[in-house]
Amino acid sequence: QVQLVESGGGLVQAGGSLRLSCAASGRTFSTYAMGWFRQAPGKEREFVAVVTVNGDTGLADSVKGRFTVSRDNGKNTMYLQMNSLKPEDTAIYYCAATSPKRDYVRAVIYDYWGQGTQVTVSS
């Protein structure tokens, strides 16, 4: 069982930056691929980023060049550095964990989810 807690969300002006954190409980954090998803009002949850067990990363096209995902296994924590934020980045951001699989962009494959943290970008 893994429990995930997101933090770092807030209100920021367009062009600003935020760093989200996802803290995981348990001793097996390093064995999980970790993902970030987001959901805006009236929209489906969408993939944002993933960092695999091996440290490989993947980003949605909409955030490439602006967001960076990383993990610190010693701290059982994953991060999402968000720069050059846009109003369309406004959403609830969720972290998720899964045993190694394929198709990390699909939310359905993730076994554990956090409660989410709100990110609001004003224009």
Side-chain angles (χ1 to χ4, degrees):
Q1 191 79 2
V2 176
Q3 292 185 331
L4 304 174
V5 179
E6 303 95 337
S7 62
L11 174 63
V12 65
Q13 290 187 335
S17 298
L18 285 173
R19 188 176 82 155
L20 305 184
S21 299
C22 172
S25 65
R27 301 179 182 178
T28 58
F29 176 77
S30 63
T31 67
Y32 288 93
M34 301 295 298
W36 286 102
F37 287 76
R38 66 187 182 186
Q39 188 166 19
K43 294 188 177 181
E44 294 186 353
R45 191 169 297 191
E46 66 173 359
F47 169 78
V48 176
V50 65
V51 54
T52 70
V53 170
N54 295 328
D56 296 327
T57 61
L59 294 166
D61 288 343
S62 60
V63 305
K64 283 181 181 177
R66 301 187 298 122
F67 290 11
T68 303
V69 62
S70 62
R71 66 190 299 163
D72 184 336
N73 290 338
K75 295 183 178 180
N76 281 12
T77 302
M78 172 179 63
Y79 304 98
L80 185 68
Q81 179 66 43
M82 305 187 295
N83 299 328
S84 301
L85 282 161
K86 304 176 181 180
E88 51 262 46
D89 294 318
T90 295
I92 299 174
Y93 283 70
Y94 299 90
C95 68
T98 179
S99 56
K101 295 185 179 71
R102 297 180 179 179
D103 295 337
Y104 289 119
V105 300
R106 298 175 60 216
V108 69
I109 73 162
Y110 289 81
D111 304 305
Y112 305 101
W113 290 85
Q115 293 300 307
T117 186
Q118 177 71 48
V119 171
T120 303
V121 184
S122 63
S123 57

